[in-house]
Amino acid sequence: MAQAPKRRRWSAADVPDLTGRTAVVTGANSGIGFQAARTLAGRGATVVLACRNPVKAQDALDTIRTAVPEADVSVLQVDLGSLTSVRKAADALVTERPVIDLLINNAGVMLLPQGRTEDGFEQHFGINHLGHFAFTGLVLAAVTAADAGRVVTVSSNGHRMGKIDFDDLDLAQNYRPFRAYARSKLANLLFTYELQRRLAAAGGSARSVAAHPGGANTEVGGNPSPLQRRLKKVVDHIPNPIVHSAFKGSLPLLRAAVDPAARGGEYYGPSGLLRMTGHPVLVTSNAASRDTGTAERLWELSERLTTVTYPL
């Protein structure tokens, strides 16, 4: 009996020609965001590096142009921990780019000591969730103006340990860095799925998709805590079967962003052990991330906290 053909693994070679399309990547100066931006630019996309640090963003831009001399790439300064900065950046972006084909919400912080954003929010929740919620809402009209525009939001396996406690959003009662991070990554998924439901109800072709990089060896944004530095040192010097490169970690983001078969409300991540390494495949998230009641409540709260109302 003839064997069934082996399914080919999705790779960067599957990223199509993106000439004429515009992609915005937050946190694109390093890690998986940089790798995704470089790949998109190499396939002809006009790429906007939306970053907090303009010096590091310029270095990333120069590196991309060295690798891809013809790359159409620019820098947008945005601090997701400041709603004033988010509004200023969004206004500048849509003025220059009234049509955005891909918005990749990648920037984030991890395992920070207890602290607050400029607007008084706990840092992980304020940057990873509220900053991206506001930025996406402010540029969404440009995404829906595109032919099949997409919003890709980056979550993490850590979402499985997250819990949305509406009575203690600052985690003032029992702050733990990983607890705060996990909650923000759960919020990213709740946002992704609720945005997809609202996009579908409004009609049109825009899609909201999620992805996670697995155990990507990257520098996560923000000022690293002693714990974060120790973990990075271990990852850098000990071979680890559940850690892969930033480039491989970028592949789930890219598949969510450009695979024609990717549908709204899907979630992509690595295929291997514990979903930490391997080629990008469709993966599942936990039941808490699919709770529509929590998602609606979080959405309404996010609109109040950011004063950003979505045009849907």
Side-chain angles (χ1 to χ4, degrees):
M1 180 186 292
Q3 288 188 337
K6 224 176 181 182
R7 259 180 110 182
R8 196 174 64 77
R9 294 170 169 177
W10 199 95
S11 71
D14 292 292
V15 177
D17 180 9
L18 299 171
T19 302
R21 302 185 72 187
T22 296
V24 179
V25 185
T26 68
N29 60 277
S30 65
I32 59 174
F34 170 77
Q35 295 294 337
R38 182 166 65 176
T39 299
L40 294 169
R43 297 301 296 146
T46 294
V47 180
V48 178
L49 312 179
C51 307
R52 180 178 61 86
N53 188 316
V55 175
K56 291 182 178 180
Q58 185 62 46
D59 288 344
L61 182 150
D62 293 341
T63 301
I64 291 173
R65 282 188 175 159
T66 298
V68 187
E70 69 280 11
D72 183 357
V73 57
S74 61
V75 168
L76 174 72
Q77 200 279 328
V78 57
D79 180 355
L80 293 167
S82 163
L83 292 176
T84 298
S85 174
V86 168
R87 287 184 179 278
K88 181 179 177 181
D91 287 345
L93 179 61
V94 297
T95 298
E96 188 173 348
R97 312 281 182 188
V99 177
I100 298 171
D101 299 275
L102 304 173
L103 171 59
I104 301 181
N105 291 324
N106 160 77
V109 293
M110 179 180 181
L111 304 182
L112 296 183
Q114 191 168 17
R116 293 179 181 271
T117 67
E118 177 181 292
D119 302 287
F121 308 125
E122 187 280 315
Q123 292 179 97
H124 297 84
F125 188 70
I127 294 169
N128 296 356
H129 169 61
L130 290 176
H132 278 125
F133 179 92
F135 189 63
T136 302
L138 292 167
V139 305
L140 188 64
V143 177
T144 56
D147 180 17
R150 286 191 207 185
V151 176
V152 176
T153 301
V154 179
S155 184
S156 161
N157 278 326
H159 85 272
R160 299 180 183 280
M161 279 69 81
K163 179 183 178 183
I164 306 296
D165 183 352
F166 290 101
D167 294 323
D168 187 19
L169 281 174
D170 290 332
L171 298 178
Q173 302 303 315
N174 186 23
Y175 183 84
R176 295 288 185 276
F178 186 78
R179 195 170 164 227
Y181 171 73
R183 183 192 60 172
S184 72
K185 294 290 103 179
L186 174 59
N188 287 150
L189 283 173
L190 288 162
F191 164 67
T192 295
Y193 301 147
E194 183 63 18
L195 176 58
Q196 176 56 33
R197 284 188 286 269
R198 291 174 184 243
L199 286 170
S205 58
R207 284 169 275 184
S208 173
V209 191
H212 79 85
N217 188 3
T218 66
E219 293 182 8
V220 182
N223 297 314
S225 66
L227 173 60
Q228 188 176 343
R229 287 194 291 268
R230 288 197 297 272
L231 289 174
K232 181 98 171 49
K233 190 173 181 181
V234 170
V235 168
D236 286 344
H237 293 92
I238 298 179
N240 193 323
I242 58 172
V243 175
H244 58 182
S245 68
F247 171 72
K248 289 183 178 177
S250 73
L251 294 179
L253 284 65
L254 289 167
R255 184 167 191 181
V258 304
D259 186 345
R263 295 182 298 177
E266 291 185 334
Y267 185 34
Y268 288 86
S271 60
L273 179 66
L274 302 178
R275 292 291 189 252
M276 295 295 280
T277 62
H279 288 261
V281 296
L282 189 62
V283 296
T284 59
S285 60
N286 68 2
S289 70
R290 297 284 183 179
D291 187 308
T292 57
T294 301
E296 289 174 4
R297 187 176 177 186
L298 178 63
W299 187 283
E300 292 167 2
L301 175 65
S302 300
E303 285 193 330
R304 289 202 306 272
L305 293 176
T306 63
T307 68
V308 173
T309 301
Y310 274 56
L312 293 174

